[in-house]
Amino acid sequence: GMDTNGTNLYIAVGASGKLATSPDGQTWTQQSPGFGTNQIVDVAYGNGLWAACSVSGRIATSTDGVTWTQRFLDGTKTFQSIAYGNGAWICTGQAGVAYSSTDAITWTARTSTLANSARGAGYSPVGSVFIAGTDTGTTGALASTPDGVTWTARTSALSITTTSSNCYVASGSATVVICHEENGFIQSSTNGTTWTARTAAYTTYPNYRDWE
């Protein structure tokens, strides 16, 4: 995963607890965020704060990308994504796990309505909602929430059958898009509620998202 504060800092995370920072996207410095050797799956920026999550159920925050403080740890959870928007944070993961926070410091478990693993999530100004998608299913394979607290199941326009198929959420001001690793599937929405299948230019597995 990777994110930027939009001005002077990029952060990229990955396998073996790796996290690197860059002021310009060209020169990178590896940092020590304290995740050990566990994969850091996602990082997000919001309200002056960075937050990252790992497959080992850990969430940590930083104001500068260099010094990180552990905020949450539950080794029974496997997180997959973290996102900020509209004054709230969410963190989702396997088995429909969902947590929310207003400050990225104190986290509360929520009921996400996602029966399967929430493989990707992000905030969209389209409908002012967070959107999360699962690795399999159609009905209820998507869910939305305005604040990370109350979730509503949404029906995917695609039938996802591959377990552990990640999905990636990206949004502009008028359209939000989800691309899936399985078969190059992609779907879009203009309200965050109703989804339409689209024909992608790729037929294999994307593994990247761009969040504006």
Side-chain angles (χ1 to χ4, degrees):
M2 183 172 67
D3 204 0
T4 176
N5 63 2
T7 54
N8 61 355
L9 186 59
Y10 297 81
I11 295 183
V13 299
S16 302
K18 295 294 192 299
L19 183 149
T21 60
S22 172
D24 54 13
Q26 300 179 46
T27 303
W28 292 84
T29 302
Q30 185 170 312
Q31 307 295 347
S32 300
F35 284 83
T37 59
N38 298 120
Q39 180 183 5
I40 307 175
V41 287
D42 205 7
V43 62
Y45 177 82
N47 197 30
L49 194 67
W50 293 88
C53 65
S54 75
V55 294
S56 59
R58 187 188 304 267
I59 299 173
T61 64
S62 173
T63 58
D64 58 8
V66 178
T67 302
W68 291 80
T69 302
Q70 179 178 296
R71 301 301 185 181
F72 180 90
L73 176 61
D74 183 344
T76 67
K77 310 301 181 186
T78 302
F79 291 135
Q80 296 289 341
S81 59
I82 195 165
Y84 173 84
N86 201 28
W89 291 86
I90 66 165
C91 189
T92 61
Q94 291 188 12
V97 164
Y99 282 78
S100 72
S101 175
T102 56
D103 56 12
I105 296 174
T106 302
W107 293 83
T108 303
R110 305 297 182 183
T111 301
S112 70
T113 73
L114 296 169
N116 300 309
S117 295
R119 290 284 175 174
Y123 180 78
S124 172
V126 178
S128 299
V129 293
F130 291 95
I131 296 166
T134 65
D135 54 0
T136 58
T138 300
T139 302
L142 301 178
S144 65
T145 174
D147 53 12
V149 178
T150 303
W151 290 78
T152 302
R154 305 299 182 188
T155 300
S156 170
L158 302 164
S159 180
I160 308 301
T161 60
T162 302
T163 302
S164 299
S165 174
N166 291 330
C167 62
Y168 307 92
V169 183
S171 182
S173 60
T175 303
V176 56
V177 174
I178 299 178
C179 61
H180 303 264
E181 284 186 339
E182 181 179 335
N183 298 325
F185 285 161
I186 191 167
Q187 55 186 315
S188 66
S189 174
T190 57
N191 56 17
T193 301
T194 305
W195 294 85
T196 302
R198 304 297 182 185
T199 301
Y202 54 83
T203 57
T204 52
Y205 304 103
N207 197 21
Y208 175 79
R209 79 175 189 188
D210 178 51
W211 190 258
E212 297 294 340

